Amino acid sequence: MRKSSLILIQILMIAQMMSAQSELLRVNRQRHFSGILPGNYSGIAHIRGDEYAVVSDKSFSNGFFVFKIAVDSITGDILSVRDNGFHCNDMSGGDLEGIAYNPVTNTVFISGEADNSVAEYTLQGDTTGRQMAVPDVFRHATGNAGLESLSYNVHTGLYWTMNESTLICDGLQATSVNRLRNRLRLQSFGEDLLPRNQYAYLMDEPVADKTARNYAMGVSEVLALDNGRLLVLERELYVPKQKIGAFVNCKIYEVNPSEAQPISISEPLTASSPYMDKHLIYSWRTNITLLDHSFANCEGMCLGPFLKDGSRVVILISDSQNGYGGILKDWFKTIVIK
């Protein structure tokens, strides 16, 4: 066979691999660990080895924790979690939600939902002065519905974020009684921190159909994969007045920006906008009942290590609102994908 033919076959094999959808191989049960204090953990990013940067949306100052997370090399289950300290600056804490690590610059970027900014930090917790040029359309986010997520992948050289719930310019937000589907904007940024393409993303319809004491329906995290695709974590949190009967529905979808049509930033999203196709990877539900206190508001998601069989671990972390009421816990969970 000619050398040129072999090269062509290799190129086609790589292209096929890059376009293939992820496959769920294993789901591990959620676990709580005593090695960390109750918190408001809202984002997680792998740094190196077994070290992960974790951001809290109610920290006393701007910065991030470093957790050491040991993962079983065969099952992908988490064996232990230990807090190795908080890296921060002297700025009072804002509503920090998403975090991403760039191994090239050896810095982390953190998204703030209060002002919808994305700023760069050193690994010591100091700001570098660099920020992403977030498009003005995200200034239309209402409180607690802005840039909740953030991810970076070194293979694509792109950062990704998305507003949690519908922007004012794009319509009404989903509630526990109106049955609306949130219309969201997925935004990419290059290494120069300038915006690249933006895509329309349509959430599923809510499950809840009654008034709530607390309700949150939105995308709490995105995760950039090596092949250019993204995992999107849709989360619906419902707490009734009596609290018993509360639940969190979580769904992980995969989307492929290379097969989607970019949208214009200046045009509002409508029912006829070119929303991305999405492929369901995994869904689960946690609850508060008399016998079940598994309620887990998952807000952070990142890639973990490769396992011995070549599969990849995805790590999820939940926000317990500082162990609210002595009932909620900071749950960790892993799934394994191919």
Side-chain angles (χ1 to χ4, degrees), residues 51-311:
E51 292 186 333
Y52 295 80
V54 176
V55 70
S56 167
D57 59 22
K58 292 182 178 63
S59 55
F60 61 88
S61 62
N62 284 348
F64 54 92
F65 297 88
V66 174
F67 286 177
K68 290 184 73 69
I69 302 177
V71 177
D72 187 285
S73 63
I74 296 176
T75 66
D77 197 10
I78 296 179
L79 302 175
S80 64
V81 179
R82 188 177 74 217
D83 181 358
N84 266 22
F86 187 60
H87 299 214
C88 62
N89 53 47
D90 57 4
M91 297 175 61
S92 59
D95 187 3
L96 306 183
E97 295 286 357
I99 187 166
Y101 172 70
N102 187 329
V104 177
T105 59
N106 198 33
T107 57
V108 299
F109 285 81
I110 300 177
S111 60
E113 197 172 29
D115 59 2
N116 294 298
S117 65
V118 183
E120 184 182 41
Y121 290 71
T122 69
L123 291 187
Q124 290 70 46
D126 298 314
T127 54
T128 67
R130 294 208 307 160
Q131 290 197 4
M132 292 185 186
V134 177
D136 287 340
V137 69
F138 291 106
R139 310 301 177 190
H140 292 274
T142 57
N144 207 33
L147 299 183
E148 177 88 8
S149 56
L150 189 65
S151 185
Y152 171 80
N153 191 286
V154 69
H155 294 281
T156 63
L158 292 175
Y159 299 88
W160 293 90
T161 188
M162 187 189 296
N163 48 303
E164 181 180 3
S165 188
T166 308
L167 302 176
I168 294 174
C169 60
D170 293 328
L172 297 176
Q173 296 177 355
T175 71
S176 63
V177 293
N178 66 12
R179 314 299 295 179
L180 292 178
R181 301 175 69 180
N182 281 327
R183 302 168 180 173
L184 309 181
R185 294 171 181 261
L186 175 65
Q187 178 68 55
S188 63
F189 295 85
E191 294 278 10
D192 56 6
L193 310 187
L194 296 178
R196 294 295 190 266
N197 290 328
Q198 188 176 114
Y199 302 90
Y201 182 92
L202 186 64
M203 287 191 67
D204 286 356
E205 184 178 299
V207 171
D209 59 1
K210 298 184 177 86
T211 57
R213 176 189 180 98
N214 298 104
Y215 185 76
M217 179 72 175
V219 165
S220 57
E221 189 62 283
V222 298
L223 172 56
L225 302 176
D226 294 350
N227 61 7
R229 292 174 177 261
L230 296 118
L231 298 185
V232 178
L233 176 58
E234 295 191 14
R235 180 261 284 122
E236 179 181 13
L237 177 151
Y238 172 81
V239 180
K241 291 182 179 180
Q242 68 274 22
K243 297 180 183 176
I244 296 295
F247 66 81
V248 181
N249 278 330
C250 288
K251 300 177 183 179
I252 297 177
Y253 282 99
E254 185 176 52
V255 297
N256 188 356
S258 68
E259 297 177 353
Q261 178 183 335
I263 61 173
S264 170
I265 296 176
S266 61
E267 295 182 5
L269 297 179
T270 66
S272 60
S273 295
Y275 293 101
M276 307 181 81
D277 292 330
K278 57 185 188 179
H279 167 66
L280 182 64
I281 298 293
Y282 174 54
S283 64
W284 72 104
R285 174 174 171 141
T286 58
N287 307 277
I288 295 180
T289 67
L290 292 177
L291 300 177
D292 183 2
H293 291 172
S294 63
F295 187 94
N297 178 21
C298 283
E299 293 200 348
M301 177 171 64
C302 76
L303 288 174
F306 286 99
L307 301 184
K308 287 188 175 180
D309 63 0
S311 57

Side-chain angles (χ1 to χ4, degrees), residues 20-35:
Q21 291 180 337
S22 298
E23 178 185 352
L24 179 66
L25 300 181
R26 181 184 178 92
V27 175
N28 292 305
R29 65 184 179 89
Q30 65 181 33
R31 301 184 63 188
H32 169 70
F33 297 91
S34 59

Side-chain angles (χ1 to χ4, degrees), residues 310-329:
S311 57
R312 193 73 182 270
V313 175
V314 174
I315 298 176
L316 296 134
I317 186 173
S318 70
D319 180 349
S320 74
Q321 296 293 313
N322 280 327
Y324 180 80
I327 296 177
L328 301 188
K329 295 181 179 179

